[in-house]
Amino acid sequence: MPVATIICGSGDRNGVSRRMCAILESELSRKGFDVFFFEPAYMSIAHCMDCDGCRNGRCVISDDMDPIYDAFSESDVMVFCAPIHFSGPSSVIKTVMDRFQKCWFDRDSGHPSKFIACLCGGSPEPNFQLTEKIYKAFCITAGMEYCGALEISHTDNGVPDLEQIVRAFISDKV
Ligand SMILES: Cc1cc2nc3c(=O)[nH]c(=O)nc-3n(C[C@H](O)[C@H](O)[C@H](O)COP(=O)(O)O)c2cc1C
């Protein structure tokens, strides 16, 4: 059975990212995936301190990243669902991403082959490019293929057709 990990980069449980995660989880399950889902905003995850302790491929910090690392090593697909904050990725998702610095030293351990992003921004023209660039750098380090991003803009005006958009996007990717 294929496995997917979805990470929500927003703390707003009624927000767009959280809604996208629910739709993704439902669609991936329908397609036969086992799905891990994480909300780091409600977990205890320390910042990477660049201590170099992960030179052996294992992070020395023991916290709520542990279940995320386990899911990552078992997954075929990883999905980040996060809002744009000040033209970049939310701090919630960036904190998780930085904790994958261990992959810089160990690219061979189990990891997803595919990475997919879902991004949302409140303005009519959010800067999605910066975040995509950062995600691509993360994919190179973690040995994943960057499979593209769904970009939802103007969320301040609501997104009535979100379900249809997200289902069509993910169906095309997996
Ligand atoms: C701290 C902060 C910074 C934001 N910066 C931007 C931004 O630079 N560009 C933009 O289009 N929207 C920005 N927004 C709006 C969010 O991207 C938008 O409301 C998004 O839909 C929130 O996603 P969520 O509902 O999943 O939390 C910002 C919101 C917050 C809270």
Side-chain angles (χ1 to χ4, degrees):
M1 205 177 213
V3 180
T5 293
I6 301 171
I7 307 214
C8 184
S10 171
D12 183 354
R13 284 189 155 146
N14 296 311
V16 179
S17 304
R18 186 64 184 76
R19 281 167 56 209
M20 290 199 285
C21 288
I23 300 161
L24 288 165
E25 193 168 4
S26 148
E27 190 62 24
L28 286 166
S29 299
R30 202 180 65 79
K31 284 185 168 279
F33 278 78
D34 263 347
V35 181
F36 291 107
F37 172 57
F38 296 99
E39 290 181 287
Y42 296 93
M43 299 163 75
S44 176
I45 297 179
H47 292 283
C48 172
M49 302 298 278
D50 193 8
C51 70
D52 260 3
C54 60
R55 280 191 169 273
N56 64 359
R58 289 183 62 84
C59 180
V60 296
I61 304 169
S62 180
D63 62 7
D64 286 347
M65 269 305 287
D66 291 343
I68 296 181
Y69 288 144
D70 289 344
F72 178 80
S73 68
E74 283 180 41
S75 291
D76 303 284
V77 178
M78 180 159 223
V79 190
F80 279 5
C81 252
I84 299 298
H85 282 177
F86 293 110
S87 295
S90 69
S91 58
V92 172
I93 209 76
K94 186 65 165 56
T95 299
V96 170
M97 215 180 332
D98 288 354
R99 288 287 301 279
F100 279 97
Q101 172 65 1
K102 71 188 188 89
C103 297
W104 183 255
F105 302 105
D106 175 16
R107 288 189 171 84
D108 298 329
S109 295
H111 60 79
S113 55
K114 289 183 171 187
F115 174 91
I116 297 164
C118 292
L119 303 166
C120 59
S123 70
E125 291 185 35
N127 187 337
F128 293 120
Q129 293 76 25
L130 288 175
T131 299
E132 286 200 65
K133 200 167 179 182
I134 291 164
Y135 285 175
K136 284 175 187 170
F138 168 58
C139 285
I140 291 168
T141 297
M144 298 182 287
E145 179 194 355
Y146 182 82
C147 296
L150 173 64
E151 298 172 351
I152 310 274
S153 55
H154 224 171
T155 58
D156 290 351
N157 278 17
V159 194
D161 46 0
L162 189 66
E163 171 130 19
Q164 200 184 325
I165 295 168
V166 176
R167 282 194 194 277
F169 170 76
I170 197 66
S171 289
D172 188 48
K173 298 287 177 196
V174 295

